[in-house]
């Protein structure tokens, strides 16, 4: 085994000991627990993205916010192909 790392790989603000403990917790999780965790994280990211959109566009309707989210998640080209009404929000 190589020399000991002095910093964590997953985050610069995390100690190697804390990182090892986190990785061990992930290893102990069942596949279902991992799917649930990823699903929760995905939902949280989407909610944070929508909150950011609403902060930047306070007068936007719910539909406009969802279209702007689609542009963020899918990119301009795909979002406008799937949702033609997203074109005004794609920066084109």
């Amino acid at each position: 085994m190589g020399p000991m790392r002095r910093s964590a790989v997953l985050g610069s603000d995390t100690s190697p000991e804390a990182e090892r403990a986190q990785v061990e917790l992930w290893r102990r999780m069942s596949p279902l627990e991992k799917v649930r965790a990823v699903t929760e994280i995905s939902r949280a990211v989407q909610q944070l993205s929508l909150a950011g959109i609403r902060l930047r566009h306070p007068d936007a309707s719910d539909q406009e916010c969802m279209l702007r989210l689609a542009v963020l998640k899918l990119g301009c080209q795909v979002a406008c192909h799937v949702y033609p009404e997203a074109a005004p929000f794609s920066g084109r």
Side-chain angles (χ1 to χ4, degrees):
M1 197 169 187
M4 289 282 292
R5 290 187 287 122
R6 293 183 191 252
S7 64
V9 173
L10 299 177
S12 61
D13 62 345
T14 304
S15 72
E17 297 77 22
E19 184 177 282
R20 280 192 290 276
Q22 180 64 58
V23 170
E24 185 55 35
L25 287 172
W26 288 334
R27 286 183 178 141
R28 290 181 185 171
M29 291 171 76
S30 71
L32 181 58
E33 289 171 320
K34 290 175 185 175
V35 167
R36 285 183 178 152
V38 169
T39 300
E40 290 295 317
I41 291 167
S42 294
R43 285 184 184 147
V45 167
Q46 180 163 319
Q47 291 304 311
L48 286 170
S49 297
L50 278 170
I53 290 167
R54 287 192 173 103
L55 280 173
R56 290 187 301 278
H57 306 281
D59 297 327
S61 68
D62 287 346
Q63 181 179 6
E64 179 181 331
C65 289
M66 292 307 288
L67 292 170
R68 289 181 181 278
L69 180 64
V71 170
L72 280 174
K73 289 174 70 172
L74 304 173
C76 296
Q77 186 176 6
V78 172
C80 291
H81 180 75
V82 176
Y83 306 105
E85 64 273 28
F89 314 117
S90 68
R92 289 184 183 180

